[in-house]
Amino acid sequence: MRVIKLGGSILEQPEEMKALFESLVDTQNKTVIVHGGGALAQQWLSAAGLKSEKHEGLRVSPEQHMPYIVGALAGCANKQLMSQAIATGIRPIGLTLHEAGISCRRQSAELGQVGTCELFESGLITNLLKCGYLPLISSIGFGKKGDWFNVNADDAAVAVAANYDADLLLLTDVEGVLDSEGRLIEQLNTRSIDELTKAGVIQNGMLVKVRGALEAARHLRRSVRIGSWNAVNKPDSGTQISE
């Protein structure tokens, strides 16, 4: 099994979304997709006149914001992905982290309903794959008492991969991590990441993704890939991140 994490930006790129699902037609019974949708959530919150803030890269999620965040991620974003999957002949099924066997708890009081993943249990995913479905899991989770949580999509993907001992691919808009001259870096580890970060080669959004991939590799005890949708069926493409 493999878990593919999609960023919300792919929702704004219908051709890339279509190409991604077309590449999954023959491997849908081995693939699970975890997705975010931060830009869409921001649009919904703004339309409702709610001010949204971020703290250390995480969207502060007060309880009064959650209907809009859940509606954007588990509703609209998830169903946009389902629509495109169906159009390419795939049988998708939209889920939250709860159906994947993952329970969540509040990360900290100042972040509101931002959740962190815990209590991994057997979920529906294996059976759904056997039945020919492609699970599309939004980064919305639930606690033991039914509280709902907004979970960072990268963290959600790591949790799903860990729960099912699966490989993890983090999709991005470029072919992988690039060097100072725009060339693909095929492999990175803790030492090389530190060196390239200090040199300013890895920075901004890619630095966040690389650090997340490194943490994921440590947690999963296997390498994690960062790449574009072209990397989906090419195991040696993209950038391999290991400890």
Side-chain angles (χ1 to χ4, degrees):
M1 185 190 302
R2 62 176 175 179
V3 173
I4 299 175
K5 185 266 175 176
L6 301 184
S9 62
I10 198 169
L11 299 172
E12 301 169 6
Q13 303 173 63
E15 290 303 315
E16 288 201 7
M17 197 194 314
K18 178 183 177 183
L20 168 66
F21 283 117
E22 286 176 344
S23 72
L24 295 176
V25 170
D26 295 329
T27 59
Q28 59 182 301
N29 63 339
K30 300 177 182 178
T31 302
V32 176
I33 287 178
V34 178
H35 69 87
L40 187 60
Q42 179 62 59
Q43 291 174 22
W44 283 37
L45 290 168
S46 296
L50 297 171
K51 183 179 179 181
S52 180
E53 299 178 351
K54 287 195 174 184
H55 177 71
E56 296 181 352
L58 297 175
R59 186 180 304 282
V60 179
S61 303
E63 180 61 44
Q64 63 266 34
H65 288 196
M66 287 301 291
Y68 301 95
I69 294 172
V70 172
L73 271 62
C76 188
N78 190 269
K79 298 333 172 199
Q80 280 184 262
L81 291 170
M82 283 189 66
S83 176
Q84 185 62 70
I86 291 168
T88 53
I90 287 175
R91 298 173 66 199
I93 186 164
L95 307 168
T96 69
L97 291 167
H98 175 76
E99 292 92 332
I102 296 168
S103 181
C104 299
R105 61 174 172 81
R106 180 176 291 177
Q107 185 162 321
S108 65
E110 61 265 29
L111 291 173
Q113 295 303 109
V114 170
T116 186
C117 298
E118 61 174 10
L119 294 177
F120 302 94
E121 301 173 350
S122 176
L124 299 173
I125 303 303
T126 303
N127 287 335
L128 289 172
L129 291 172
K130 288 179 180 178
C131 291
Y133 287 99
L134 170 68
L136 296 175
I137 305 173
S138 70
S139 55
I140 294 297
F142 291 86
K144 289 183 287 185
K145 295 183 179 180
D147 296 335
W148 54 11
F149 294 101
N150 178 20
V151 180
N152 174 272
D154 285 337
D155 294 343
V158 172
V160 173
N163 202 26
Y164 292 93
D165 192 28
D167 293 328
L168 177 60
L169 169 61
L170 303 176
L171 288 195
T172 185
D173 295 332
V174 293
E175 60 179 328
V177 184
L178 308 179
D179 65 16
S180 58
E181 296 183 6
R183 296 172 301 196
L184 177 69
I185 302 173
E186 295 183 354
Q187 295 185 339
L188 286 170
N189 55 27
T190 302
R191 181 177 178 180
S192 57
I193 289 170
D194 287 342
E195 292 173 349
L196 291 172
T197 300
K198 289 176 182 177
V201 175
I202 303 176
Q203 57 183 317
N204 302 325
M206 183 56 77
L207 178 57
V208 174
K209 192 170 292 292
V210 166
R211 285 177 172 168
L214 181 59
E215 284 302 310
R218 289 169 177 163
H219 185 73
L220 298 172
R221 297 182 179 275
R222 64 176 72 185
S223 63
V224 172
R225 277 196 302 152
I226 295 176
S228 70
W229 67 266
N230 290 304
V232 169
N233 292 321
K234 300 175 182 177
D236 297 327
S237 61
T239 301
Q240 297 276 352
I241 309 288
S242 57
E243 292 188 73

